[in-house]
């Protein structure tokens, strides 16, 4: 079934929370984190959205798996001028969260959104990446406030805030795309 996502925001946010709970024991294994996140979202798309496209599922899991290492690389690149300490600044949490969100949102919209949405997907992914950066920043600050992370490490709050928030952003963008493009094309079709 190639219809775009229908009930995305709340269900995807719940899937993001579920992926966090599953991911916590694996938080030191970077590739597993993204793969778990992508797999849980794919399960949501299969069970509740009616998608049955294995190639899209594999592609999405691939990009989700790449999102965490790419965000870490962005943080490391951003930190080249920082101190020799392994402590991650809030600005670096913002950069990492934004890069990771972009890497998840763009393929998410291209693979699961309406075909007509593809022209706007790049701009929407950049917009959503700002939200991902803010989520990374909030998760990093929450970790600091409750005193969980060790030097150079993320606490569970970053994963909880970021994964559920980015899943929610993806759901909102997919719902907006469906409303804007699918509803508009149905209205135009009804006129002719």
């Amino acid at each position: 079934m190639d219809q775009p996502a229908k009930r995305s925001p709340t269900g995807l946010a719940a899937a993001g929370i579920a992926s966090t709970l599953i991911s916590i024991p694996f938080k030191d294994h970077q590739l597993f984190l993204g793969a778990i996140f992508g797999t849980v979202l794919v399960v949501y798309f299969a069970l509740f959205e009616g998608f049955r496209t294995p190639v899209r599922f594999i592609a999405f899991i691939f990009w989700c798996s790449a999102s965490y290492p790419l965000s870490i690389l962005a943080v490391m690149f951003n930190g080249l001028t920082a101190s020799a300490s392994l402590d991650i600044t809030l600005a670096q949490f913002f950069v990492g969260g934004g890069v990771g969100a972009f890497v998840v949102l763009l393929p998410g919209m291209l693979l699961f959104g309406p075909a007509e949405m593809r022209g706007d997907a790049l701009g929407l992914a950049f917009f959503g990446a700002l939200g991902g950066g803010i989520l990374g920043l909030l998760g990093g600050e929450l970790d600091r406030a409750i005193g969980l992370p060790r030097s150079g490490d993320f606490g569970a709050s970053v994963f909880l805030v970021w994964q559920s928030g980015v899943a929610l952003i993806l759901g909102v963008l997919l719902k907006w795309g469906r409303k804007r493009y699918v509803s508009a094309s149905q209205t135009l079709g009804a006129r002719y």
Side-chain angles (χ1 to χ4, degrees):
M1 183 179 245
D2 275 345
Q3 291 187 3
K6 300 177 217 97
R7 300 177 289 265
S8 303
T10 311
L12 278 171
I17 292 170
S19 74
T20 300
L21 297 175
I22 297 167
S23 298
I24 289 174
F26 303 101
K27 73 180 193 133
D28 294 328
H29 304 286
Q30 295 177 359
L31 287 177
F32 289 154
L33 293 173
I36 292 168
F37 178 65
T39 301
V40 172
L41 295 187
V42 159
V43 167
Y44 169 82
F45 282 124
L47 292 177
F48 299 106
E49 300 288 339
F51 280 96
R52 303 285 186 261
T53 51
V55 173
R56 289 182 188 193
F57 292 162
I58 291 167
F60 186 68
I61 292 169
F62 169 81
W63 284 108
C64 287
S65 297
S67 69
Y68 188 72
L70 288 173
S71 67
I72 295 297
L73 285 173
V75 167
M76 289 171 54
F77 179 74
N78 180 275
L80 289 178
T81 58
S83 68
S85 168
L86 290 177
D87 289 337
I88 299 168
T89 66
L90 290 178
Q92 289 170 319
F93 275 113
F94 180 83
V95 169
V99 168
F102 181 82
V103 172
V104 168
L105 295 173
L106 182 61
M109 287 184 287
L110 293 174
L111 295 169
F112 302 115
E116 299 85 358
M117 185 180 189
R118 292 185 180 137
D120 293 334
L122 185 63
L124 291 169
F126 276 116
F127 179 72
L130 291 174
I134 292 169
L135 291 167
L137 183 100
L138 292 172
E141 184 57 32
L142 183 59
D143 272 345
R144 288 179 179 184
I146 59 178
L148 289 179
R150 300 180 313 262
S151 181
D153 190 15
F154 300 122
S157 301
V158 171
F159 300 113
L160 178 64
V161 171
W162 189 88
Q163 288 183 356
S164 59
V166 168
L168 177 66
I169 291 170
L170 178 60
V172 168
L173 292 173
L174 291 173
K175 186 167 184 156
W176 175 83
R178 180 172 173 78
K179 186 175 181 179
R180 177 166 184 201
Y181 296 108
V182 175
S183 297
S185 66
Q186 289 172 350
T187 303
L188 288 175
R191 289 183 188 171
Y192 298 105

